[in-house]
């Protein structure tokens, strides 16, 4: 069974040691196989390819809330989103 992270800005999931429930492999996020999708990113076990972690991509309200709470990555993402929106408006 994979772990699902619904709030991208949740602390700790990037630094955690993740364990595959199928083969019991354990390791850092950087060792997992990343498969990005539009709504989420999936991370699979490098040993048996079973799904270990699913991380939902944040929507604008989540980015805004995390930025308002002072999350550094959210602040950067919000600035990029605002610059893109300003550019589109022309």
């Amino acid at each position: 069974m994979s772990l699902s992270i619904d709030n991208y800005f949740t602390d700790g999931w990037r630094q955690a040691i993740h364990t595959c429930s199928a083969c019991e492999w354990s390791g850092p996020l950087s060792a997992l196989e990343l498969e990005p999708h539009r709504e989420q990113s999936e991370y699979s076990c490098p040993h048996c390819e079973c799904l270990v972690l699913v991380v939902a991509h944040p929507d604008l309200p989540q980015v805004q809330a995390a930025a308002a709470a002072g999350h550094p990555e959210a602040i950067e993402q919000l600035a990029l989103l605002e610059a893109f929106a300003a550019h589109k408006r022309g």
Side-chain angles (χ1 to χ4, degrees):
M1 174 173 274
S2 62
L3 173 64
S4 292
I5 305 292
D6 293 325
N7 183 348
Y8 176 85
F9 300 107
T10 300
D11 290 332
W13 65 269
R14 290 176 190 87
Q15 298 81 18
I17 297 299
H18 300 279
T19 301
C20 177
S21 61
C23 73
E24 298 183 3
W25 171 91
S26 289
L29 181 69
S30 61
L32 296 173
E33 300 292 328
L34 169 63
E35 186 173 339
H37 300 279
R38 183 175 175 86
E39 301 291 326
Q40 66 193 25
S41 288
E42 297 177 349
Y43 295 86
S44 298
C45 175
H47 185 259
C48 73
E49 299 182 1
C50 285
L51 192 59
V52 174
L53 177 67
V54 177
V55 181
H57 296 165
D59 58 18
L60 182 57
Q62 287 176 322
V63 175
Q64 290 170 327
H71 193 286
E73 185 178 0
I75 293 168
E76 288 179 20
Q77 286 185 10
L78 187 57
L80 289 171
L81 290 169
E82 289 173 346
F84 178 74
H87 179 73
K88 278 184 73 173
R89 287 190 298 267

